[in-house]
Amino acid sequence: DIQMTQSPSSLSASVGDRVTITCRASQSISSSLNWYLQESGKAPKLLIYAASSLQSGVPSRFSGSGSGTDFTLTISSLQPEDFATYYCQQSYSSPRTFGQGTRVEIK
Amino acid sequence: EVQLVESGGGLVQPGGSLRLSCAASGFSLSGYEMNWVRQAPGKGLEWVSYISAGGSTIYYTDSVKGRFTISRDNANNLLYLQMDSLRAEDTAVYFCARIYPTRKGPFDYWGQGTLVSVSS
């Protein structure tokens, strides 16, 4: 199975901050990397697919980059509704494994 | 509007069984690959099972092989997860999730989840 490792596991930031979360795959997954946001008690929501494509309806402050084994999710200016947990997921092969999550908290 | 609604969760004793359902609306289930994903209390997301659009290809995570069975009823837009020989470590919120129909597509729609608690 492909292992996905996110860093950091958690971070504290203020509204307006630029935030970067990284995700590393245990082997090359080309650009088959997706990012999800999960608010407490809710279902995950797709933000970014195929490493850098913004899902319809997702604000443009979210962006993704990377290919191969190293990927990044960037929030250009953190908003109050962005305080949540973020997960990466590889869709290169089954099982479609997730990273362990990055919790973004209010500083 | 695309919607996925899970049901069937609840409290069950170790060794017991439950059958989860996922009702799809706003699209035809027959055109989509589907998954079950779970989240134990305070933990991250864990993929559990996959079924192809026609039901001919099925995968499970190792920890549920031989105990869980995924199936689908495309005529009635329903996805199922039969869970037998339940263990305490199966306690989680179970989500059904649709795969966007492109090669290596993401999980583009998720249900709200149903809680399964395994305890004596």
Side-chain angles (χ1 to χ4, degrees):
Chain A
D1 297 358
I2 298 175
Q3 307 302 316
M4 307 301 294
T5 304
Q6 288 180 234
S7 61
S9 296
S10 66
L11 65 90
S12 295
S14 301
V15 172
D17 283 354
R18 181 181 181 89
V19 168
T20 299
I21 300 168
T22 63
C23 180
R24 174 165 288 178
S26 60
Q27 66 184 72
S28 177
I29 57 170
S30 185
S31 61
S32 300
L33 190 283
N34 312 304
W35 291 98
Y36 302 87
L37 171 159
Q38 187 180 33
E39 297 175 75
S40 181
K42 295 189 177 181
K45 171 188 171 184
L46 177 65
L47 296 175
I48 301 282
Y49 62 96
S52 60
S53 295
L54 196 67
Q55 173 69 345
S56 176
V58 174
S60 59
R61 63 180 179 273
F62 292 94
S63 63
S65 64
S67 66
T69 60
D70 293 312
F71 301 86
T72 300
L73 172 71
T74 299
I75 309 172
S76 60
S77 178
L78 201 63
Q79 298 302 300
E81 60 267 32
D82 301 337
F83 292 95
T85 301
Y86 294 82
Y87 294 91
C88 63
Q89 179 211 29
Q90 64 84 15
S91 51
Y92 184 79
S93 66
S94 287
R96 296 193 175 195
T97 40
F98 293 90
Q100 80 279 14
T102 296
R103 185 173 179 180
V104 176
E105 300 174 320
I106 301 174
K107 181 182 285 187
Chain B
E1 179 192 6
V2 171
Q3 277 197 311
L4 296 168
V5 179
E6 301 93 338
S7 61
L11 176 63
V12 62
Q13 292 187 338
S17 298
L18 278 176
R19 188 195 200 197
L20 305 184
S21 299
C22 171
S25 60
F27 70 102
S28 177
L29 192 67
S30 63
Y32 293 84
E33 302 163 275
M34 297 295 295
N35 298 266
W36 287 97
V37 177
R38 67 184 177 184
Q39 187 170 37
K43 301 297 184 181
L45 300 171
E46 180 189 21
W47 171 83
V48 173
S49 185
Y50 158 92
I51 187 167
S52 61
S56 60
T57 301
I58 286 173
Y59 301 119
Y60 300 100
T61 192
D62 285 347
S63 62
V64 309
K65 282 180 184 175
R67 301 188 299 121
F68 289 12
T69 303
I70 190 172
S71 62
R72 62 194 298 158
D73 176 357
N74 285 339
N76 291 297
N77 261 20
L78 289 166
L79 174 72
Y80 299 106
L81 186 67
Q82 176 68 41
M83 303 187 297
D84 298 319
S85 302
L86 282 161
R87 306 168 180 168
E89 54 266 33
D90 296 318
T91 294
V93 174
Y94 285 73
F95 300 97
C96 60
R98 187 183 87 164
I99 292 180
Y100 183 72
T102 61
R103 189 168 178 269
K104 302 186 187 300
F107 295 2
D108 64 341
Y109 282 93
W110 299 63
Q112 85 289 349
T114 187
L115 176 62
V116 172
S117 296
V118 184
S119 175
S120 55

